[in-house]
């Protein structure tokens, strides 16, 4: 496998969130010049990545069912016209975290062509 550039890495993280959201009935997309994914008129998922010596730090966050009022002091991408959104706020109903977590894991593995090993199974 060749090296994965930062832009491609971020795009792939966004793709994981887009496909996961779609699995739960929410259409999400990228916005030109703004990292993360957007849906329902706001920001659904964020990407925060640092790379040091070819090792990535940080990652991504897909809003499943947070208390969106807690985000009132956060200005996504320095744009106060982009409110936070979550799967639950867009769908208008509660969304369980564990199924989303499992879907993210499966989607990440497929998009990045990797597999996960259970730490307890490494014997």
């Amino acid at each position: 496998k060749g090296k994965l550039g930062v832009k491609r890495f971020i795009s792939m993280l966004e793709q994981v969130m887009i496909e996961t959201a779609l699995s739960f009935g929410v259409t999400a997309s990228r916005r030109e010049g703004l990292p993360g994914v957007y849906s329902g008129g706001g920001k659904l998922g964020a990407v925060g990545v640092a790379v040091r010596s070819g090792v990535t730090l940080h990652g991504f966050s897909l809003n499943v069912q947070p208390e969106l009022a807690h985000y009132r002091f956060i200005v996504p991408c320095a744009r106060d016209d982009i409110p936070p959104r979550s799967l639950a706020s867009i769908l208008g109903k509660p969304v369980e975290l564990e199924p989303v977590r499992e879907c993210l894991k499966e989607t990440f593995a497929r998009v990045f062509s990797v597999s996960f090993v259970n730490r307890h199974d490494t014997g």
Side-chain angles (χ1 to χ4, degrees):
K1 292 182 181 182
K3 287 188 176 185
L4 182 62
V6 175
K7 286 183 181 181
R8 179 77 177 126
F9 178 69
I10 290 171
S11 177
M12 291 170 76
L13 289 176
E14 291 168 339
Q15 190 62 34
V16 169
M17 290 189 285
I18 289 168
E19 291 182 25
T20 298
L22 190 57
S23 294
F24 289 86
V26 172
T27 301
S29 61
R30 295 174 182 86
R31 284 192 182 176
E32 185 67 34
L34 299 175
V37 297
Y38 301 82
S39 184
K43 191 163 188 175
L44 179 63
V47 178
V49 176
V51 180
R52 297 210 172 58
S53 302
V55 177
T56 61
L57 310 168
H58 305 102
F60 66 92
S61 172
L62 179 66
N63 296 331
V64 176
Q65 190 167 291
E67 177 55 60
L68 294 178
H70 295 162
Y71 287 73
R72 68 185 173 276
F73 300 113
I74 298 172
V75 181
C77 302
R79 301 270 311 262
D80 60 8
D81 62 330
I82 303 174
R85 293 289 183 255
S86 67
L87 293 176
S89 71
I90 294 167
L91 293 171
K93 64 181 183 179
V95 177
E96 295 292 323
L97 183 58
E98 194 54 37
V100 177
R101 183 180 290 136
E102 283 302 311
C103 185
L104 277 168
K105 183 178 173 182
E106 292 167 11
T107 305
F108 184 96
R110 185 175 38 74
V111 168
F112 281 87
S113 298
V114 297
S115 58
F116 291 97
V117 176
N118 186 335
R119 289 182 288 180
H120 304 289
D121 293 341
T122 58

